[in-house]
Amino acid sequence: MLAVLRDSLEEVPEHRTGQNIRYSLADAGLGAFSVFYMQSPSFLAYQRDMQRKKGQNNAHSLFGVEQIPSDGQIRNLLDPIEPAQLREPFWGIYRSLEQSGQLDPYRGVGGTYLISLDGSQYFSSQEIHCPNCRVAVRDEKTYYSHLVMLAVLSAPGKTQVFCLDPEFITPQDGHEKQDCEQQAIKRWVERNAERFEPWQVTILTDDLHCHQPLCELLQKHEMHFILTCKPESHQALYEELFLLERVEGAISTKVVRKWNGRYHESWVYRWAEHVPLRGDSKTLLVSWCELTIRNEATDEQLYHCAWATDHLLDEQRVVEVVASGRSRWKVENEGFNVLKNHGYHFEHNYGHGQQYLSMVLLTLLLLAFLFHSILDLTSLTYQAVRRELATRRTFFNDLRALTRYLYFRSWQELLSFMYQRLDLVPEPG
Ligand SMILES: [Zn+2]
């Protein structure tokens, strides 16, 4: 995976002029990546120290950094790099996972890959800003921010989620208006649809994007969709449902009783097909379904959500569509939440840059997050160590301390060291 990242960094065109080229762009990129990967703002400082004292260091052995640049040099080297130049590692890794069959269990309804597209703000400030910031003025104060549309692959019942390449929501060349999430989704779909087999992807989004232009765009690019569909924003669709409720059999229902370990839940699925997405004559007809979960004894409602989809629905398929639609919460939980609150040190002290730095750093951070997810999926040693050091925090604390004091020739040596010192034994079979 690191080789894939290095290759992309080495292909970035040199933006410096003159002879003073001591550090390579690849070293700057891999250096910043290592900080996110180790979840340690001080990782490079420790490794410079180790280099001075021992003549070798872990940034070199574990991440392939030939010479460790200073934070200031990293900032200057990465700032002019367009984030689009770092898209390839996401797809290189995706392709190798897919070709090796590792993604086979990661499928949702109808055997399709589920990809959630969600916008998120990853930076805001009243002072620090760059020309690519989004600017808002409220109460005579100026707010600067950066937004990104994350594309994340997930599957029902699976804990790991995988980042695909992000689309930044940022002023676009030749457009006067501020960029928005809708446009970012459109660019992402148009840019990437061809990477997938026709009709092998189902796109998931929130209610905000459950509208005809997006559905038509997805159909044009041979992608399915399951989009959260609320009554407030889909009046015509819910008026039709209201009428259908009076026609016997027009809305199908399926009830499943489930024991949750403490009490019985009643899962009520309802669905209808060929309902209008909007209220004019050119409306697209879609399938609609909802799930309501109640406590059987008290009748208390525990969960409710509804979706619009192009998948045809029957007793079996509606369960799959709902499970797939619901897997989007994991992207919030496992994706955004982990990125923001679990030690990736996004802000760190690299600063914001004057061109693309904040976007380049976020891209490297997402790659670190992706690499962790993939190790979790594919490496038995990593899985065993992570299981033993149950919390994320303990695992990374140990990693930070070990690499500060000891030199490891490779990841294999580092993980084997942890594995052995924790007295872990191979699982039978
Ligand atoms: Zn900015």
Side-chain angles (χ1 to χ4, degrees):
M1 291 193 289
L2 274 168
V4 174
L5 175 55
R6 171 174 278 281
D7 286 350
S8 284
L9 286 165
E10 282 176 348
E11 278 172 25
V12 173
E14 181 59 62
H15 54 72
R16 292 167 291 183
T17 51
Q19 298 301 308
N20 187 20
I21 300 182
R22 178 169 171 207
Y23 298 100
S24 69
L25 293 178
D27 279 350
L30 290 166
F33 171 83
S34 73
V35 167
F36 297 132
Y37 192 85
M38 301 302 276
Q39 306 207 335
S40 167
S42 316
F43 178 70
L44 292 177
Y46 295 154
Q47 302 313 312
R48 274 183 222 111
D49 234 33
M50 183 182 281
Q51 180 65 34
R52 254 196 318 276
K53 291 172 186 157
K54 298 188 180 178
Q56 53 195 7
N57 74 80
N58 292 306
H60 179 240
S61 60
L62 301 182
F63 294 96
V65 180
E66 298 293 335
Q67 296 198 67
I68 307 173
S70 71
D71 285 1
Q73 286 155 337
I74 289 179
R75 191 163 45 235
N76 292 338
L77 286 167
L78 297 185
D79 195 22
I81 297 179
E82 287 189 37
Q85 291 176 312
L86 295 177
R87 282 175 188 157
E88 207 33 52
F90 290 93
W91 295 108
I93 288 163
Y94 168 82
R95 275 194 302 274
S96 62
L97 275 181
E98 207 202 8
Q99 282 159 9
S100 61
Q102 302 273 9
L103 286 182
D104 288 350
Y106 274 78
R107 289 178 186 269
V109 55
T112 58
Y113 291 124
L114 307 179
I115 298 176
S116 298
L117 299 177
D118 267 294
S120 178
Q121 177 174 300
Y122 68 89
F123 170 84
S124 83
S125 172
Q126 280 182 255
E127 287 151 21
I128 301 167
H129 59 96
C130 72
N132 283 318
C133 271
R134 162 183 286 251
V135 186
V137 180
R138 280 192 304 275
D139 302 333
E140 295 179 7
K141 287 187 189 135
T142 308
Y143 295 85
Y144 302 97
S145 63
H146 279 262
L147 283 79
V148 64
M149 208 275 312
L150 293 185
V152 180
L153 196 148
S154 65
K158 300 284 179 195
T159 44
Q160 292 98 355
V161 300
F162 303 101
C163 280
L164 301 173
D165 77 320
E167 179 68 39
F168 289 92
I169 302 170
T170 182
Q172 299 290 302
D173 286 347
H175 291 263
E176 297 234 325
K177 272 200 318 191
Q178 295 233 61
D179 196 24
C180 66
E181 221 177 290
Q182 262 95 342
Q183 288 303 319
I185 289 186
K186 186 164 180 249
R187 289 197 299 275
W188 192 92
V189 168
E190 287 175 343
R191 178 152 67 69
N192 293 317
E194 282 197 346
R195 296 180 188 271
F196 305 100
E197 297 272 303
W199 303 110
Q200 282 308 298
V201 164
T202 298
I203 297 291
L204 315 176
T205 71
D206 63 17
D207 181 73
L208 179 66
H209 303 294
C210 183
H211 50 59
Q212 187 141 340
L214 179 63
C215 295
E216 285 175 344
L217 175 77
L218 294 174
Q219 291 193 324
K220 179 178 149 205
H221 291 281
E222 302 183 296
M223 291 170 141
H224 294 290
F225 56 83
I226 301 174
L227 312 174
T228 305
C229 178
K230 293 180 180 168
E232 309 86 86
S233 38
H234 298 86
Q235 224 171 344
L237 189 150
Y238 280 87
E239 275 168 16
E240 176 80 4
L241 289 173
F242 182 74
L243 295 175
L244 288 177
E245 270 166 8
R246 292 143 194 242
V247 182
E248 204 182 317
I251 296 184
S252 309
T253 304
K254 170 179 180 147
V255 183
V256 182
R257 197 170 181 235
K258 293 199 186 194
W259 176 250
N260 70 7
R262 286 181 298 143
Y263 51 84
H264 276 111
E265 293 174 355
S266 163
W267 290 43
V268 181
Y269 296 90
R270 297 170 76 231
W271 69 96
E273 288 183 331
H274 308 298
V275 289
L277 191 56
R278 65 182 194 196
D280 62 42
S281 60
K282 289 185 178 163
T283 179
L284 200 68
L285 296 176
V286 294
S287 304
W288 167 90
C289 59
E290 70 172 2
L291 169 66
T292 311
I293 305 176
R294 289 179 185 281
N295 179 328
E296 199 184 71
T298 65
D299 206 38
E300 181 198 356
Q301 181 173 312
L302 307 169
Y303 175 84
H304 175 263
C305 195
W307 297 269
T309 177
D310 67 323
H311 287 289
L312 294 175
L313 300 176
D314 58 24
E315 287 230 349
Q316 180 56 41
R317 191 48 74 87
V318 72
V319 175
E320 284 183 50
V321 164
V322 166
S324 296
R326 290 186 83 195
S327 76
R328 210 173 64 85
W329 72 267
K330 239 187 348 226
V331 173
E332 277 289 324
N333 235 28
E334 302 288 322
F336 293 157
N337 187 27
V338 169
L339 287 175
K340 284 179 176 165
N341 303 320
H342 292 270
Y344 281 90
H345 294 285
F346 169 67
E347 292 299 326
H348 183 43
N349 52 0
Y350 286 125
H352 192 77
Q354 280 309 306
Q355 287 169 275
Y356 304 112
L357 185 63
S358 93
M359 290 183 251
V360 171
L361 292 179
L362 187 81
T363 306
L364 291 170
L365 182 151
L366 293 174
L367 281 168
F369 179 58
L370 174 65
F371 281 31
H372 290 149
S373 305
I374 289 173
L375 274 179
D376 214 3
L377 177 74
T378 58
S379 161
L380 294 175
T381 318
Y382 183 87
Q383 286 166 8
V385 173
R386 277 289 273 116
R387 235 191 341 264
E388 181 69 13
L389 304 174
T391 69
R392 188 179 276 273
R393 185 187 293 267
T394 315
F395 175 75
F396 285 101
N397 278 346
D398 283 13
L399 215 56
R400 277 191 285 273
L402 284 171
T403 53
R404 178 173 184 181
Y405 297 110
L406 302 172
Y407 171 72
F408 296 92
R409 279 170 300 178
S410 66
W411 278 107
Q412 193 53 46
E413 190 180 70
L414 170 56
L415 281 174
S416 300
F417 178 92
M418 294 173 88
Y419 189 84
Q420 283 161 13
R421 298 302 161 102
L422 289 165
D423 286 331
L424 299 174
V425 286
E427 303 223 326

